[in-house]
Amino acid sequence: MRLALEVWRQRSPEAPGRFVRYETTEASPDMSLLELLDVVNEGLVRKGEEPIAFDSDCREGICGTCGFMVNGLAHGPLQGAAACQVYLRNFRDGETLWIEPFRAKAFPLLKDLVINRSALDRIIAAGGYVTVNTGNAPEASTSTIRKDCAERAMDAAACIACGACVAACPNASTALFTGAKITHLGNLPEGQPERGRRALRMVRAAAAEGFGHCTFAGECETACPKSIPLQVITQMNHDYLAARLSGEGRAQPRHIEPGTPKRRR
């Protein structure tokens, strides 16, 4: 299979970048996009040239590490799949693939196709957790969860934090990612005590990172490799507004270490 690649090459954040053309006849229809880059890099190394820098880890669509634009589409033309799951049989023989990094102000480019997505980690750190004294693992049947709530939580928990939703959004919004993390815990009993504070903190953290506002364009849902629905944004907006109207944002919770005795009046 013969393919041509126009790959964005940029040595550092400060250096100018440009598309560089590579052609290969060693591609197989059963290769993934990442394996195609491996083949190109092997050729570059043999010629003594610097290989293309790109992120990857599990290569099974689980970790969310991989991700770049292919012909203007986040992760490529296949819906519900990460770049590592998109195989060359989805392209025509002799086709030219334009490959470039996810572009967003909050995703600064490091090198070639590698971007810094630590802003997503900081959004999770702002409230994507449950503060409880877990002790020993509880019995599986101790918490009753309605089937519809469990299904919504599981659908939202499928988010792998790849950033495709941000790259596809015309506003570079992280609403789908943030909504998924808020919806996941907001549909479980353990997540109820901090539900309002969680929404306030995570939405504010996303704004502080420089992500844009959501205008419900829907491009994020199309680009998401886990097909997370737009309903998570609706729940995020509901939880955020409810917390604002209740004044919950003004109350700062006091951290209590597990086992700390209560004060006597």
Side-chain angles (χ1 to χ4, degrees), residues 32-39 41 52-68 75 82-85 102 110-115 117 160-162:
S32 70
L33 285 171
L34 299 190
E35 290 172 317
L36 176 62
L37 290 176
D38 288 337
V39 169
N41 277 346
I52 301 164
F54 65 96
D55 279 327
S56 70
D57 190 8
C58 73
R59 300 200 176 204
E60 295 179 346
I62 298 173
C63 69
T65 303
C66 71
F68 42 77
H75 288 298
C84 59
Q85 298 173 301
F102 288 166
L110 300 178
K111 183 178 181 181
D112 295 342
L113 306 178
V114 180
I115 58 173
R117 283 174 284 195
I160 56 176
C162 66

Side-chain angles (χ1 to χ4, degrees), residues 9-203:
R9 302 301 308 267
Q10 187 169 343
R11 188 176 297 273
S12 68
E14 298 78 20
R18 64 188 180 93
F19 283 102
V20 178
R21 185 178 182 86
Y22 303 99
E23 296 184 2
T24 180
T25 58
E26 302 177 26
S28 164
D30 295 325
M31 285 182 178
S32 70
L33 285 171
L34 299 190
E35 290 172 317
L36 176 62
L37 290 176
D38 288 337
V39 169
V40 173
N41 277 346
E42 287 172 1
L44 292 176
V45 171
R46 284 195 297 267
K47 293 188 291 186
E49 299 180 19
E50 188 169 359
I52 301 164
F54 65 96
D55 279 327
S56 70
D57 190 8
C58 73
R59 300 200 176 204
E60 295 179 346
I62 298 173
C63 69
T65 303
C66 71
F68 42 77
M69 306 295 287
V70 183
N71 295 343
L73 300 173
H75 288 298
L78 193 62
Q79 279 192 259
C84 59
Q85 298 173 301
V86 178
Y87 293 91
L88 301 187
R89 53 180 170 265
N90 294 289
F91 304 98
R92 301 185 308 274
D93 185 41
E95 188 172 354
T96 298
L97 309 183
W98 291 79
I99 299 177
E100 58 185 312
F102 288 166
R103 299 191 186 276
K105 179 182 178 181
F107 288 164
L109 187 142
L110 300 178
K111 183 178 181 181
D112 295 342
L113 306 178
V114 180
I115 58 173
N116 184 346
R117 283 174 284 195
S118 60
L120 302 181
D121 298 327
R122 290 190 289 273
I123 293 175
I124 294 178
Y129 51 81
V130 174
T131 305
V132 292
N133 182 1
T134 57
N136 295 327
E139 293 291 333
S141 59
T142 54
S143 296
T144 302
I145 304 174
R146 296 203 319 265
K147 186 174 185 296
D148 60 327
C149 292
E151 288 179 346
R152 285 198 298 271
M154 287 296 292
D155 288 344
C159 173
I160 56 176
C162 66
C165 53
V166 178
C169 177
N171 307 318
S173 170
T174 187
L176 193 76
F177 164 80
T178 307
K181 299 305 179 183
I182 290 173
T183 298
H184 166 211
L185 296 175
N187 277 281
L188 297 175
E190 296 84 357
Q192 299 310 308
E194 296 171 296
R195 183 169 177 172
R197 293 196 299 272
R198 178 181 303 112
L200 288 170
R201 290 175 174 177
M202 295 183 73
V203 169

Side-chain angles (χ1 to χ4, degrees), residues 235-259:
Q235 180 162 333
M236 174 185 70
N237 292 339
H238 174 274
D239 288 359
Y240 178 79
L241 181 59
R244 285 288 303 272
L245 292 177
S246 69
E248 191 165 0
R250 292 192 291 271
Q252 296 298 321
R254 183 170 61 91
H255 178 69
I256 301 177
E257 293 292 339

